[in-house]
Amino acid sequence: GIVLRTTNGSTWTMLQSDLAAVLYGVEFSTCGVSTRCIWTVGTNGTIVYTSYANSGDTPNWTTQTSGTTATLYDVKRFPGTNNLRIAGNGVILYTIDSGSTWSAIQDGAMTQDFKALDIFNGGIYTVGSSGIIYRGTQSSGWTWATENFNTSQGLNSVALQSSPVLTVWAVGGAGTIVRYDETAPTSPTNLTKTTADTANTPTFTWS
């Protein structure tokens, strides 16, 4: 469990090196006028957190109780709030108090390996094994809808832009790239790689 920090991209400082867990995801954001906060997640339900005011400060890491032993892969924070979401193996976690308490918010049918998530106003997108994509929205509770992109490839990362319209990209195995738009895109929604992984300049076509 290693955590590194840089302020210039060329010099890296070790912040943490003695965690038993393998770490997969990290969230770094401003959580006060001059305070920086870090959450990182990994195996065995590990969530560790620290905050500091100055770049030279030595972080004091604390473990947050996740309530699960599942591997956790990704963590995101809603800017300017105490709300965070975590995606993991068969679990999606939620907090509204910066991680003092975590709760599972997936429904009982959601047992896939969730590798990544991204957030938009009112909800999240999460992706994972077998090409699964879920959209979760919150009102009085959480409502989940499956997005079908007709791929069985595992999806490993997702990114979205919520303005001017919601656009979501996800990527995964075998060069898979998929896109969703709230308004119809000018191109089809499946981007397929048409050259081998070993090609120096792989070609992609919409299909």
Side-chain angles (χ1 to χ4, degrees), residues 30-77:
T30 301
C31 51
V33 175
S34 59
T35 304
R36 306 294 185 267
C37 295
I38 304 172
W39 291 263
T40 185
V41 300
T43 52
N44 298 315
T46 297
I47 306 172
V48 289
Y49 163 80
T50 191
S51 63
Y52 63 91
N54 302 302
S55 60
D57 291 349
T58 300
N60 179 27
W61 295 91
T62 60
T63 299
Q64 296 184 340
T65 301
S66 67
T68 181
T69 58
T71 297
L72 306 177
Y73 293 108
D74 197 14
V75 54
K76 291 289 191 304
R77 175 175 179 253

Side-chain angles (χ1 to χ4, degrees), residues 7-128:
T7 58
N8 56 22
S10 60
T11 303
W12 291 84
T13 303
M14 185 84 69
L15 296 186
Q16 178 71 29
S17 62
D18 59 354
L19 291 173
V22 176
L23 302 176
Y24 290 103
V26 62
E27 170 71 7
F28 172 65
S29 58
T30 301
C31 51
V33 175
S34 59
T35 304
R36 306 294 185 267
C37 295
I38 304 172
W39 291 263
T40 185
V41 300
T43 52
N44 298 315
T46 297
I47 306 172
V48 289
Y49 163 80
T50 191
S51 63
Y52 63 91
N54 302 302
S55 60
D57 291 349
T58 300
N60 179 27
W61 295 91
T62 60
T63 299
Q64 296 184 340
T65 301
S66 67
T68 181
T69 58
T71 297
L72 306 177
Y73 293 108
D74 197 14
V75 54
K76 291 289 191 304
R77 175 175 179 253
F78 281 95
T81 75
N82 295 321
N83 301 344
L84 292 99
R85 312 289 185 266
I86 290 175
N89 188 357
V91 66
I92 301 172
L93 303 178
Y94 165 86
T95 183
I96 58 173
D97 54 18
S98 296
S100 295
T101 56
W102 290 92
S103 301
I105 57 173
Q106 78 283 356
D107 68 30
M110 296 168 62
T111 59
Q112 293 85 357
D113 197 2
F114 301 109
K115 289 295 183 67
L117 60 82
D118 206 354
I119 57 178
F120 64 96
N121 187 25
I124 66 173
Y125 271 86
T126 185
V127 303

